[in-house]
Amino acid sequence: MTSPRDGAFLRATRGEAVDHTPVWYMRQAGRSLPEYLKVREGVGMLESCMNPDLVTEITLQPVRRYGVDAAIFFSDIVLPLKAVGVDLDIVPGVGPVVARPVRTLEDVAAIPDLTPGHVRFTTAAIRSLVAELGPTPLIGFAGAPFTVASYLVEGGPSKDHALTKAMMYGAPDVWDALLGKIAGISAAYLRVQVEAGASAVQLFDSWAGALTPDDYRRSVLPHSAAVLAAVAGLGVPRIHFGVGTGSLLPLMAGAGADVVGVDWRTPLASAIPLVGDRAVQGNLDPTLVLAPTEVMTSRAAEIIDAGRTAKGHVFNLGHGVLPSTDPDQLKRLTEFVQGY
Ligand code: CP3
């Protein structure tokens, strides 16, 4: 294997034959790794994301330890907002917190569009990473409009997304302006990452499962589709993932990605017929990595078997690696998937 294009990950996203099922994990870098906790000592999350040397090191850590088939760029979905000047922080144990939540058209208009000049540290980090990674592909990512809007409207993490949905139902003009603004920022951020050398991109709509199919189709899908369309011509596969999206999968597939990420609640075998002529990614329950090894690997085997009936299959967890995960167990899972 000489270039990322020939490797199992990119081949699977294109629906080509692979010598093993490729595997990577959402949140494979981060708090489950002692080497991550060590380099992060005394450095804030956003500060880390803006330091190309640290981003390079943290992104490489899980590749070294697990031998996964792809790296995911170490950043956060709110980083581009921070880069254009939105006053926010990522609070340990809480998540993104926004100082002045968005409520009006004026609030939306005050958010600048993203230009490459806002994220020069991203370009620098990706160039250095791609050189270090060699044949291992790098996945760039951005937050989807609904999930990012939820942080901007609620001012922080939310279980029910009540203020966000209240805006969607009650102030459709503000809603469309806000989602259009975020779509533009996410598309520009993805483009920067691909132009710097990322081999694939993933659009994270983690909280889309809070929506009914009708609301998703009317108020959210057009904006996610716009992000995916904006990077369609760049020659890299686009992955579209959300959590709790069992009833949304056909719509999410219709938003135009090449690969549909499936969360752990939906059996992969039932997801495959819902996504059309597309590859799938997923979807072992992250808590199974905390289970006895034989339990974990037997469930992984079922998922790989189901994945063989899809156009292509990239193995992943059905959401991010849990902080309490034992890295040795994730290493065993990786070896099992690659050798199955
Ligand atoms: O390994 C990777 O997947 C790449 C890094 C990555 C992070 N955030 C690093 C991070 C990615 C892809 C994200 C995306 C992200 N951020 C999403 C979508 C993916 C998902 O998990 O659904 C969302 C919803 C966010 C918002 C966010 N940022 C949350 C909910 C949190 C966790 C808060 C907490 O402390 O429990 C963050 C912070 C964050 N992003 C951390 C990391 C490693 C933890 C901060 C730390 O280590 O100090």
Side-chain angles (χ1 to χ4, degrees), residues 126 140 188-201 231 234-237:
I126 291 185
Y189 187 54
L190 290 178
R191 178 175 282 274
V192 164
Q193 295 175 68
V194 174
E195 285 174 352
S199 292
V201 292
V231 293
L234 301 181
V236 303

Side-chain angles (χ1 to χ4, degrees), residues 24-31 36-37 40 45 49 72-78 90-96 141 147 151 157 204 206-207 241 243 319-320:
W24 69 280
Y25 307 108
M26 295 182 273
R27 298 270 173 109
Q28 62 191 11
R31 288 170 295 177
Y36 170 79
L37 295 173
R40 277 289 317 280
M45 175 65 191
C49 294
I72 176 141
F73 185 58
F74 185 78
S75 183
D76 194 85
I77 55 168
V78 298
I90 295 183
V91 178
V94 177
F141 74 91
T147 293
Y151 289 103
F204 278 96
S206 301
W207 313 140
F241 169 76
V243 180
H319 198 181

